[in-house]
Amino acid sequence: MPSKFAGRQAAFFAPALLALAILPCNAYADRYRTTQSDFGGVGLLQTPTARFAEDGNFSFNANRVSPYSRYSISVQPLPWMEGTLRYTTLNNRRYSSSEAFSGDQSLKDKAMDAKFRLWQESYWMPQLAVGFIDAAGTGLFSSEYFVANKRFWDLDLSLGIAWGYHGNRGDISNPFGGLRDKERAGRAEGDRGGNFNTSTYFSGPAAFFGGVEYQTPWDRLRLKVEFDGNDYRSEPGDPSFDAADSRINLGAVFQVRNGIDISAGWERGNTAMIGITFQTNLKTGRGPQKFLDPEPEARQPLPAGVAGQNVDWVDVSSRLKDNAGFEVEEIAIKDREVIITGEQRTFRDEAEGVTRASRILDNSLGEGSYDWYTLVNKPRGMAVSETSIKPQSLRDYEDNSTDVQGLRRGIVNATPSVVSKDVVHTPELDKFDWGLSLGYKQNMGGPDGFILYQFLARANAEYRFNRNNWVRGTLGANLINNFDKFEHRGSSNMPRVRTYIREYLVTSDVVLENLQYTWTKRLDRDVYAMAYGGLLESMFGGVGGEVLYRPFDAGWAIGVDANWVKQRGFRQDFDFRDYSTWTGHITGYSQTKFWDILAKGSAGRYLAGDYGATLDLSRRFSSGVIVGAWATKTNVSSEEFGEGSFDKGIYFTFPFDAFFAKSSTSSGTIAWNPTTRDGGARLSRQYSLYNMTGARDIEWFNDGFGRMVE
């Protein structure tokens, strides 16, 4: 789950900035690249195809075809699966039948789509896919389909059959016969949306759809022709909506540059369409060149063997911090091994920090002095992993005397062990740190305004008593804010633990967002612990703790957290309200071999006192970007939960160095959560032991090693 409450309100549009930030600038992609449909997801215009983008593809799409404006994000989290999130503005329909409720807002429909590849194209056989549009939304545009594609040189032909919205033309009776209802049932009265209404899938009459996509001799230009399965006579809006004059839609896509497409079309025989798509690949995008990083220390002529007592370890420690990003806790010698203990605070790729550090040690110690350089990674005072490298292997690789595999054989990753050693240097701890940043919170798609937002100026400060004990706080100053429009319209009897968002964001212009004391410790070889107390987040303060069991390179872990919290006052100072509760979870982690998906399952008590479980599935790409989705189901009924029926959403965690020309170990999370509700709400803890101990997984190092030697 995203660790920040602010993340739950984060921008729907912000991922477009991610696309722009890490767009590759290389040559144009192949002539048969995929393009997006009006609804988002790979397709023609109104209709989907059986094509899929490259693994890791990410796109932000916006288009206008009266009376709809559509904004969507499509992601290819797996080679055979496509997911799309979409907001549709229905300009011909108010937010609700009540003018007092709707205000001046038109209806904003939220939808989640999914498409799955059933068969990959071969010489004789077409590619086949099945898809679900608006599978768990309001159902206004819900549809299911099967579609096939076959390519003939520059022509890509598609043909499919759809039920629901895309099959409203009703060309044929339901091919499933008595297996599904002959009529497609609408949603039941009082249905809050957000549930997977499987009883309606593939029901009712159906229609054919399809078309042709033609790659012109000019690589930048793609032409599209399709025949639509919808007759537009039962649109979810004003009944005066113009029905289709033709079921043939025409369109063109122009590639402005690699990663930016502009599309235009003539649809329904009477309506123009225009749109834009930004896309990149989360698997291969690297962000800007790190020209603000210091160059790796140049190789110096190796001095003759130098004894440890003759080395200027103060200078070595300073260079390790400035050039290798490694903040040294101590330097020790054991036989012919130099052991550097500390924390990597600059380079997200641990392998880069290790090789930079090895060069620094080589330049200082010379050839023949020591057989191994070992770096013990100890984030927040907890020894997590150690990496040992043979300096001769690194020299051979730099001299082209060995290949990448030879270099890798000279590197050993292991769990830190306690050994007898001679400490030769212990630098003084830098106890105080501070910084400035910009904060942003957002809520989308409500009757009070399509976008409710707040921009904050933030000042962050941290004081370390020692490496395992520190206090960190964040002071925020309101810059721009329109959350005064937000009104809570729920009628639930649940404690209001999240729906006071308006009060928290408009009561004071200067707020103390958090102020937390944290203590960490490695209890045993594979056991880590953390305790904390203070103003834990913007809405709750209290005390809590976490224990994590994570065997080295095992691919799994299990943790327990328990917290007593009290609701903070709306001014976000040191005042508290009357509500308090216990909350906590048991969480299991499994780094699967199934496309490297991390599965997290949690069970426990949530902030509103409800009990239930959360499933979180995510995939970390080699670029460092993480794409994930979560769903929480508790003992709160759909009616009591309200709109959305249960808590769910998706998130993107991206490294900051995807945006900047300087390396950083920091990351941020952008989350899309359809509604702000009280059911299934979790405490937004500042730190997670699982994230802090990421280097326990050797793949964490290997990913960085692979990027380093490419």
Side-chain angles (χ1 to χ4, degrees), residues 59-296:
S59 69
F60 171 81
N61 319 286
N63 66 77
R64 167 71 177 167
V65 51
S66 181
Y68 307 125
S69 298
R70 296 186 180 94
Y71 310 94
S72 61
I73 292 171
S74 292
V75 184
Q76 192 78 35
L78 299 167
W80 45 266
M81 176 186 176
E82 174 189 87
T84 299
L85 297 175
R86 180 177 54 259
Y87 272 93
T88 301
T89 300
L90 285 78
N91 296 298
N92 61 343
R93 180 169 174 176
R94 310 313 299 165
Y95 196 90
S96 79
S97 57
S98 169
E99 184 175 348
F101 183 87
S102 296
D104 60 357
Q105 278 290 303
S106 56
L107 180 62
K108 308 298 188 297
D109 182 67
K110 314 175 189 74
M112 291 184 177
D113 306 345
K115 182 168 71 175
F116 304 91
R117 187 177 65 206
L118 301 178
W119 185 270
Q120 193 163 7
E121 184 178 14
S122 64
Y123 186 82
W124 295 108
M125 295 294 294
Q127 186 151 295
L128 181 64
V130 61
F132 303 84
I133 296 175
D134 199 4
T138 60
L140 294 181
F141 300 95
S142 66
S143 187
E144 305 82 47
Y145 61 87
F146 288 96
V147 62
N149 268 71
K150 193 77 179 72
R151 188 183 304 281
F152 298 93
W153 294 280
D154 288 339
L155 296 175
D156 193 16
L157 280 62
S158 65
L159 179 64
I161 181 173
W163 295 256
Y165 180 80
H166 285 283
N168 277 340
R169 190 171 291 271
D171 294 328
I172 59 173
S173 59
N174 195 326
F176 290 121
L179 297 177
R180 303 301 288 169
D181 295 335
K182 295 183 179 180
E183 298 297 327
R184 191 176 181 93
R187 286 191 177 269
E189 182 71 25
D191 192 328
R192 300 291 184 175
N195 283 315
F196 294 95
N197 196 12
T198 57
S199 62
T200 67
Y201 290 174
F202 303 104
S203 63
F208 292 111
F209 67 88
V212 180
E213 187 166 3
Y214 170 57
Q215 174 59 62
T216 69
W218 189 19
D219 286 350
R220 291 175 181 259
L221 183 63
R222 189 79 60 91
L223 302 179
K224 300 180 178 183
V225 180
E226 71 175 3
F227 64 95
D228 202 342
N230 186 5
D231 61 8
Y232 299 92
R233 294 179 182 176
S234 55
E235 292 296 292
D238 190 327
S240 64
F241 178 88
D242 289 335
D245 292 339
S246 170
R247 71 182 299 179
I248 303 298
N249 300 324
L250 307 173
V253 178
F254 180 76
Q255 187 180 45
V256 179
R257 55 156 289 182
N258 193 21
I260 303 178
D261 290 340
I262 292 178
S263 56
W266 187 249
E267 302 182 6
R268 308 195 294 265
N270 53 30
T271 306
M273 180 278 295
I274 189 167
I276 188 168
T277 295
F278 301 96
Q279 60 182 330
T280 187
N281 194 291
L282 304 178
K283 190 174 181 179
T284 58
R286 300 296 174 81
Q289 293 237 322
K290 303 298 181 283
F291 59 83
L292 294 180
D293 285 349
E295 289 292 328

Side-chain angles (χ1 to χ4, degrees), residues 519-540:
W519 167 90
T520 61
K521 187 175 179 61
R522 184 189 186 198
L523 299 180
D524 199 0
R525 175 184 173 92
D526 299 318
V527 181
Y528 298 86
M530 175 170 60
Y532 43 85
L535 307 178
L536 305 181
E537 51 147 283
S538 59
M539 296 187 182
F540 284 91

Side-chain angles (χ1 to χ4, degrees), residues 315-331:
D315 177 65
V316 171
S317 178
S318 176
R319 288 153 58 203
L320 286 170
K321 180 179 180 180
D322 295 340
N323 192 273
F326 202 76
E327 189 172 286
V328 176
E329 178 179 340
E330 70 174 27
I331 301 177

Side-chain angles (χ1 to χ4, degrees), residues 622-693:
S622 56
S623 64
V625 177
I626 297 173
V627 177
W630 82 89
T632 297
K633 194 69 176 175
T634 71
N635 57 348
V636 174
S637 66
S638 297
E639 291 74 19
E640 190 173 7
F641 181 90
E643 182 185 355
S645 301
F646 63 94
D647 189 52
K648 55 187 170 297
I650 72 162
Y651 60 92
F652 302 86
T653 297
F654 52 90
F656 282 172
D657 58 10
F659 295 93
F660 305 118
K662 184 175 178 60
S663 293
S664 171
T665 58
S666 300
S667 63
T669 295
I670 295 173
W672 181 82
N673 184 255
T675 53
T676 299
R677 291 291 180 265
D678 298 309
R682 297 186 66 168
L683 181 67
S684 297
R685 297 191 294 123
Q686 298 294 308
Y687 305 102
S688 160
L689 283 176
Y690 188 82
N691 293 336
M692 295 166 74
T693 60

Side-chain angles (χ1 to χ4, degrees), residues 547-585:
V547 176
L548 177 74
Y549 176 67
R550 186 173 189 175
F552 185 77
D553 198 35
W556 63 273
I558 186 167
V560 179
D561 70 274
N563 313 270
W564 179 85
V565 295
K566 190 174 178 67
Q567 196 169 42
R568 296 180 62 188
F570 297 145
R571 297 186 62 84
Q572 294 181 63
D573 48 23
F574 292 98
D575 291 336
F576 287 87
R577 295 169 56 82
D578 291 337
Y579 181 76
S580 63
T581 189
W582 283 94
T583 180
H585 294 80

